[in-house]
Amino acid sequence: MSERNPKDPENPVLPGVEEEREVTLGGPERGLAEVFEVPIGPIHPALKEPIRLTFRVRGERIVGVQIRTGFAHRGIEFMGMRQGRNLVQVLYLSERICGICSVSHPIAFTQAVERAAGIEVPPRAQYIRVIISELERIHSHLLWAGVAAHELGFDTLLHLTWRVREKVLDILEELSGNRINYAIPIFGGVRRDITPEQYPKVWEAIRYYRGLLEQLLDAFLRDPTVEARTRGVGVLERKEAEGLCAVGPTARASGLRKDVRQDRPYLAYSDFQVRAITPKDYGLTPVGDVYDKIVVRLLEVGQSLDIIEKALENMPEGEITSFPKIPALLAHLKKAEGEGLGWHEAPRGEVIHYVRLAAGDESLLVWKVKAPTYSNLLSWYPMFEDQEIADIPIIAACIDPCICCMDRVYIVRDGKEEAWTKEGLLRLSWEKTRRLQR
Amino acid sequence: MSGWAVFGEAALVLIGGGIVGLFYRGLDRKIAARMQARVGPPIRQPFLDLGKLLVKETVIPKTAVTWIFSAMPFLAVLASFTALLYLPLGPFPPVLDGHGDAILVLYLLAVPALAMALGGLASGSPLGVVGAQRELVMLMSYEFPLAVVLVAVAWRVAVLGFSPAFSLGTIAMHPLWTVVGPLGILGLAILCLTLLVVTPAELAKIPFDIPEAETEIAGGLFAEYSGTYLALFYLADAVRTVVLAGLVVALFLPYGIAKTLGLAGAAAQAVDLLFWLFKVFAVMVVAVTTVRVGMARLRVEQVARGFWLWGTAAALGGLLLLALDKVVMG
Amino acid sequence: MILKTLISQLLSRPATNQFPTKYMPRSVTKFLTRVQAGEDKVHPPVQVPARFRGKIGYDREKCIGCQLCIRVCPAKVIEFKPETKKIRMHVARCTFCAQCVDVCPTAALSLTAEFLLADTDRGSKNLIVE
């Protein structure tokens, strides 16, 4: 049961919830050097998306950091819940939560809706979803590797990785009709089949990347300057990764074998026996620094290739959707009632969608999205601890942040930032539940 | 030589230096682009950039110390261009030969860096301040190896008995490679290598572009500079590239090809001047372009430690070998 | 090592697809007029695959005015014209999901390979399909 809060006896402390984390890092301020603030963002060349990090630095060393989000909240959940949009329309909205994981969100969303509405997905459709999402992982990880190289000032590697990334984008374009925003999953299946003529092209891309992977590993992991800049930088210890609920490659680089595909297999993933990759698979002891994160992401490119190969070999025949006619699908979804949870291991970590459908209503009653960056953002605090200004961009980039995907409302009233307390939020949620029950 | 002739020569060298500097910057960008499998900008791009910057509005931030902020770009340009006048240009001795020695060139190379640091500090932006701190740390770390290299070569030439001993013109006239013994050649090679490593640091290019560090501190020193002032820094940087590459050439590669080709008179001078320009270009490609596309940016403390330990050790080692060689060879 | 990559890339052709020209023309509008007059050439873009989702094509004759496309369009691109029982599409809003093409019962809507749709006016002829 909850215990009494000594500071505020009226409000009990919920068990398992720690006191608010102090944002000032390091010990008491000492030394002669003056501490001054360096603002990074909301617009800054190191950040690809708007977020503000205010660093307190002494000389080149970071002594404190404050993270402020809320610059790019788009209210997508709210848009999806508004009356007048049916689920098929919301599906494309969910695709636009993230431009890079543009199949991860629809996959999680369709799963949630399928669970809520009791729709089966034919096996072939599951395999196609897996193939597309693994292709997406390859493109996303290569994109990240290029960005990381750019943050280190190594533009040649940026151009190299982005050039080889073209191949996977071409394949995605070939399979889906577009390089980004593939529009492949739909409730009950997928929209496009993989035709026999397309198989050789996918195989060719797999061979291309197999040949390249060694060169990429060599260029990134055995380059002395890259090593000098990433080893021991932005360390997230295993304990901290666990405590802060880091997800995806950020957690795996700290040695946590944590992967939704392994822990809670969905779609056809149970056929592939996915095992979460950690630096141990490369013969390293996991430290949790930026170097380990490069290792994990590059190895995951190889893992994705394995999965795609297996999926192509064992592709079942059959239907690609259980609702070939969209009007029938819409009618079914209108009748459906219930709630569902959908999850997916996006390139950045687990993404979770929660939906609630009401009978007789075309639109969503509740839609909740948790993007992976939402879980990973807090791991910035221990990573920035006692690092140098020079390391800010690469540490900020190493969790592969996707700020717009996770952004939440930030309330500024009369020029003052307003914070919602735990109790306030709890009350808000009670009120909402009561409103829904009515 | 009459005063007017010197003046004319100087004007020629300054204008030519500026044009060559910008042209080489264009080549540098083009080659870097091709190394990265890109098309890259046209070679005339630096001229277009400079022209564009000159017509843009020059913003002076409210928080800046205006006079320092405005004076520093001019100081940087002045110092960089003045250094051109002390540089032996292939077959031609420096324009101001005899009016200042190699040590002056050393100072002239340090002044633009100092000017940038002061400008950054005066800009009143935290990014500029961080950039300035980094520039000063860099200056302190690479200046010593640079000085040792210069002094070692100058001393060895002075021992040979030529005067004015510490002039770059004299040094360029008497290449050391053929004078010294095997130990000396090893020493010279080490010194040459040290100078090649110092060159990108002096020019603040990757892996030493720490004071600007686009992704870290958004241009650092230059974060608040715009318009004409930024154009001046740009020009100063282009000219300094030529000066430093020219310094490497003067100290370690001062050979001409005209004699080997059997030319004489004006033709020989023209060929040697072209060959000198080519040598400068080659040094730039090796020491600046290839290095800046082939490496990641280092941290300032890594650079400081590297230069203080390895840079200094290498430079002093080279000097020691050169001295030993003198003792052995007599 | 990276040096090997650098040298091999220096000696080979750049990977860039030089569409539409190698360098930025001094004046884009003049360049385009020259291209139209046949005095200058545009470097061709990369070939798009067969399934490419480009601008939506519309066959007026086949359209029966069922409005299914309007129901599924996520971006509200399609406008119904009650007097003729046909539709009008505002391509400037289109997200190219091709859901309308999938849902159309008479195959009046189709995918085209056209993707050069930049325009200064969202009501221009190129961006309205009817």
Side-chain angles (χ1 to χ4, degrees):
Chain A
M1 239 349 268
S2 58
E3 48 191 291
R4 281 267 191 241
N5 185 347
K7 282 182 206 157
D8 189 358
E10 287 299 303
N11 289 310
V13 179
L14 294 175
V17 179
E18 278 173 39
E19 278 292 286
E20 233 174 87
R21 196 185 161 83
E22 193 68 43
V23 285
T24 309
L25 307 170
E29 284 168 24
R30 57 195 127 68
L32 295 168
E34 194 191 343
V35 173
F36 62 100
E37 282 196 349
V38 177
I40 304 272
I43 308 297
H44 188 273
L47 306 165
K48 308 303 172 224
E49 285 175 278
I51 186 167
R52 196 175 71 202
L53 305 166
T54 312
F55 290 96
R56 295 174 60 247
V57 297
R58 187 189 293 116
E60 283 264 337
R61 212 150 268 281
I62 298 166
V63 294
V65 60
Q66 215 165 9
I67 302 171
R68 156 98 138 75
T69 62
F71 292 95
H73 181 60
R74 295 168 295 171
I76 287 189
E77 292 165 348
F78 177 70
M79 281 160 77
M81 285 187 278
R82 257 169 52 185
Q83 296 294 310
R85 263 204 181 83
N86 61 42
L87 278 164
V88 172
Q89 289 171 317
V90 177
L91 174 63
Y92 296 102
L93 201 56
S94 82
E95 192 168 75
R96 276 147 187 87
I97 292 174
C98 183
I100 298 168
C101 344
S102 69
V103 83
S104 302
H105 284 279
I107 281 182
F109 180 62
T110 47
Q111 280 186 79
V113 172
E114 280 153 7
R115 288 206 177 91
I119 299 173
E120 284 292 313
V121 183
R124 189 174 174 88
Q126 295 187 9
Y127 269 69
I128 292 172
R129 282 189 193 177
V130 166
I131 289 170
I132 298 290
S133 72
E134 293 306 318
L135 284 172
E136 182 190 72
R137 192 181 316 279
I138 295 174
H139 114 69
S140 175
H141 281 347
L142 289 178
L143 178 117
W144 177 83
V147 170
H150 174 66
E151 304 291 15
L152 294 173
F154 205 156
D155 280 357
T156 307
L157 278 188
L158 161 78
H159 295 299
L160 183 75
T161 45
W162 282 30
R163 200 183 79 221
V164 302
R165 174 173 164 260
E166 286 298 301
K167 189 83 185 171
V168 67
L169 290 179
D170 286 347
I171 288 301
L172 283 165
E173 191 183 19
E174 175 75 38
L175 295 181
S176 74
N178 220 339
R179 292 157 71 82
I180 293 287
N181 292 340
Y182 321 113
I184 279 288
I186 192 155
F187 312 110
V190 291
R191 291 179 53 202
R192 298 278 186 272
D193 199 358
I194 299 181
T195 59
E197 306 89 72
Q198 287 171 333
Y199 281 91
K201 289 177 184 165
V202 183
W203 277 113
E204 195 230 310
I206 291 174
R207 276 196 300 276
Y208 174 77
Y209 283 113
R210 284 248 181 262
L212 258 170
L213 205 58
E214 195 45 46
Q215 192 195 341
L216 279 178
L217 283 169
D218 186 63
F220 272 95
L221 301 179
R222 286 186 272 282
D223 185 274
T225 46
V226 171
E227 252 186 88
R229 283 303 306 276
T230 55
R231 282 232 193 224
V233 169
V235 174
L236 180 70
E237 276 163 26
R238 194 194 155 108
K239 224 177 77 200
E240 248 153 356
E242 251 171 344
L244 293 169
C245 298
V247 294
T250 312
R252 292 196 279 276
S254 306
L256 273 181
R257 287 211 188 268
K258 184 177 181 182
D259 191 320
V260 190
R261 294 173 296 172
Q262 165 200 289
D263 303 335
R264 277 189 91 84
Y266 51 97
L267 296 178
Y269 275 115
S270 47
D271 295 1
F272 304 116
Q273 300 297 323
V274 182
R275 190 157 175 274
I277 283 189
T278 70
K280 270 184 205 147
D281 299 312
Y282 193 62
L284 294 168
T285 323
V287 180
D289 54 6
V290 177
Y291 188 81
D292 282 353
K293 290 179 179 86
I294 300 177
V295 171
V296 165
R297 286 202 172 89
L298 288 181
L299 290 189
E300 277 182 26
V301 172
Q303 187 190 34
S304 289
L305 292 174
D306 291 343
I307 295 175
I308 298 167
E309 262 181 16
K310 260 195 210 163
L312 285 175
E313 276 165 6
N314 306 322
M315 186 86 123
E317 292 299 321
E319 286 293 304
I320 55 161
T321 171
S322 44
F323 283 95
K325 293 266 181 258
I326 303 292
L329 174 67
L330 284 173
H332 180 91
L333 288 172
K334 191 169 180 178
K335 276 184 292 182
E337 174 153 22
E339 53 183 355
L341 199 64
W343 55 86
H344 176 59
E345 180 75 18
R348 292 160 173 72
E350 65 169 25
V351 42
I352 290 178
H353 280 235
Y354 167 81
V355 296
R356 188 173 177 144
L357 308 175
D361 191 352
E362 272 207 314
S363 54
L364 284 164
L365 195 62
V366 180
W367 183 20
K368 182 79 194 150
V369 181
K370 194 214 64 120
T373 307
Y374 191 73
S375 312
N376 278 339
L377 216 54
L378 281 178
S379 51
W380 265 348
Y381 283 115
M383 279 192 214
F384 279 127
E385 211 158 332
D386 210 29
Q387 299 293 318
E388 300 207 359
I389 292 182
D391 296 325
I392 291 172
I394 187 64
I395 296 176
C398 80
I399 66 164
D400 203 356
C402 194
I403 307 298
C404 294
C405 312
M406 70 100 219
D407 222 346
R408 294 287 180 250
V409 175
Y410 198 93
I411 304 163
V412 180
R413 205 168 280 162
D414 302 330
K416 261 201 234 155
E417 294 172 4
E418 215 169 81
W420 278 93
T421 56
K422 206 158 52 201
E423 292 74 33
L425 283 173
L426 207 58
R427 210 165 297 133
L428 211 65
S429 127
W430 286 338
E431 277 167 22
K432 190 173 178 186
T433 316
R434 270 189 218 118
R435 216 169 45 236
L436 288 172
Q437 282 167 344
R438 238 176 266 146
Chain B
M1 225 190 308
S2 77
W4 282 112
V6 173
F7 190 76
E9 255 181 49
L12 208 65
V13 167
L14 294 183
I15 294 168
I19 290 171
V20 168
L22 289 174
F23 177 64
Y24 276 14
R25 169 55 53 84
L27 284 175
D28 164 65
R29 286 173 66 175
K30 191 77 186 173
I31 290 169
R34 293 301 296 267
M35 281 178 170
Q36 296 171 337
R38 291 185 290 129
V39 170
I43 290 167
R44 64 169 192 279
Q45 192 63 40
F47 294 94
L48 301 178
D49 287 352
L50 192 74
K52 184 84 174 218
L53 282 174
L54 284 172
V55 298
K56 286 272 187 182
E57 188 194 355
T58 307
V59 182
I60 298 175
K62 271 187 197 148
T63 47
V65 184
T66 314
W67 72 272
I68 300 183
F69 186 79
S70 322
M72 287 310 134
F74 293 96
L75 185 62
V77 165
L78 275 177
S80 312
F81 274 93
T82 314
L84 267 183
L85 300 178
Y86 289 97
L87 202 65
L89 310 165
F92 306 107
V95 179
L96 294 180
D97 205 8
H99 293 275
D101 52 18
I103 304 298
L104 181 66
V105 175
L106 207 61
Y107 277 107
L108 285 174
L109 284 173
V111 166
L114 270 176
M116 283 191 268
L118 277 176
L121 281 173
S123 70
S125 142
L127 299 175
V129 173
V130 173
Q133 287 173 347
R134 291 175 170 196
E135 178 74 56
L136 290 173
V137 172
M138 291 265 297
L139 192 67
M140 283 188 279
S141 50
Y142 65 67
E143 209 64 7
F144 187 64
L146 177 64
V148 172
V149 171
L150 203 61
V151 168
V153 176
W155 166 78
R156 193 65 186 81
V157 174
V159 168
L160 294 176
F162 300 104
S163 72
F166 263 58
S167 154
L168 276 181
T170 318
I171 295 172
M173 302 266 274
H174 305 96
L176 283 174
W177 296 96
T178 44
V179 178
V180 295
L183 269 181
I185 288 181
L186 185 66
L188 279 177
I190 292 174
L191 291 175
C192 180
L193 211 64
T194 315
L195 189 58
L196 284 179
V197 174
V198 169
T199 304
E202 179 84 42
L203 294 170
K205 294 282 181 284
I206 289 174
F208 307 111
D209 72 328
I210 305 161
E212 291 156 41
E214 177 226 339
T215 49
E216 291 164 19
I217 48 175
L221 300 169
F222 303 132
E224 298 296 336
Y225 276 107
S226 56
T228 314
Y229 293 161
L230 192 59
L232 290 176
F233 275 132
Y234 190 82
L235 191 61
D237 186 42
V239 171
R240 273 174 90 207
T241 313
V242 174
V243 172
L244 263 165
L247 187 68
V248 178
V249 170
L251 291 185
F252 296 106
L253 301 164
Y255 297 100
I257 48 165
K259 237 180 241 165
T260 344
L261 293 176
L263 295 169
Q269 284 186 330
V271 166
D272 266 353
L273 186 65
L274 284 177
F275 185 61
W276 178 78
L277 283 174
F278 172 74
K279 281 188 291 186
V280 168
F281 170 71
V283 167
M284 183 192 74
V285 170
V286 170
V288 179
T289 315
T290 316
V291 171
R292 95 183 162 90
V293 296
M295 283 179 139
R297 183 187 304 117
L298 294 168
R299 274 197 297 267
V300 69
E301 114 272 346
Q302 287 168 337
V303 171
R305 197 183 307 131
F307 274 125
W308 272 112
L309 282 176
W310 302 113
T312 310
L316 288 178
L319 175 64
L320 205 67
L321 283 173
L322 216 55
L324 266 177
D325 178 71
K326 176 76 184 70
V327 173
V328 174
M329 301 288 286
Chain C
M1 281 297 287
I2 192 79
L3 201 63
K4 211 176 95 193
T5 316
L6 290 182
I7 290 167
S8 75
Q9 285 183 348
L10 178 66
L11 299 177
S12 52
R13 284 164 58 87
T16 319
N17 174 44
Q18 294 166 9
F19 170 76
T21 54
K22 188 171 179 189
Y23 296 130
M24 172 90 172
R26 200 167 275 263
S27 158
V28 177
T29 40
K30 269 185 202 151
F31 170 70
L32 289 176
T33 25
R34 272 208 312 279
V35 168
Q36 267 164 6
E39 290 162 30
D40 226 324
K41 259 210 226 141
V42 167
H43 199 284
V46 179
Q47 197 68 37
V48 295
R51 265 186 196 177
F52 184 71
R53 290 180 274 138
K55 188 178 165 185
I56 309 292
Y58 176 47
D59 187 344
R60 255 178 86 81
E61 301 310 312
K62 284 191 192 162
C63 182
I64 53 169
C66 67
Q67 301 187 47
L68 269 176
C69 47
I70 298 176
R71 244 171 84 71
V72 297
C73 180
K76 304 202 165 85
V77 172
I78 307 167
E79 183 190 359
F80 187 62
K81 295 188 292 181
E83 63 274 16
T84 53
K85 292 216 164 61
K86 303 285 171 190
I87 57 167
R88 175 188 291 141
M89 283 187 284
H90 302 266
V91 183
R93 303 187 60 134
C94 185
T95 60
F96 305 100
C97 66
Q99 189 65 60
C100 53
V101 179
D102 285 13
V103 85
C104 186
T106 59
L109 294 168
S110 61
L111 290 169
T112 68
E114 198 182 339
F115 63 92
L116 295 169
L117 299 169
D119 211 311
T120 47
D121 175 19
R122 58 181 72 190
S124 87
K125 228 163 122 195
N126 194 25
L127 295 183
I128 301 286
V129 178
E130 56 181 343

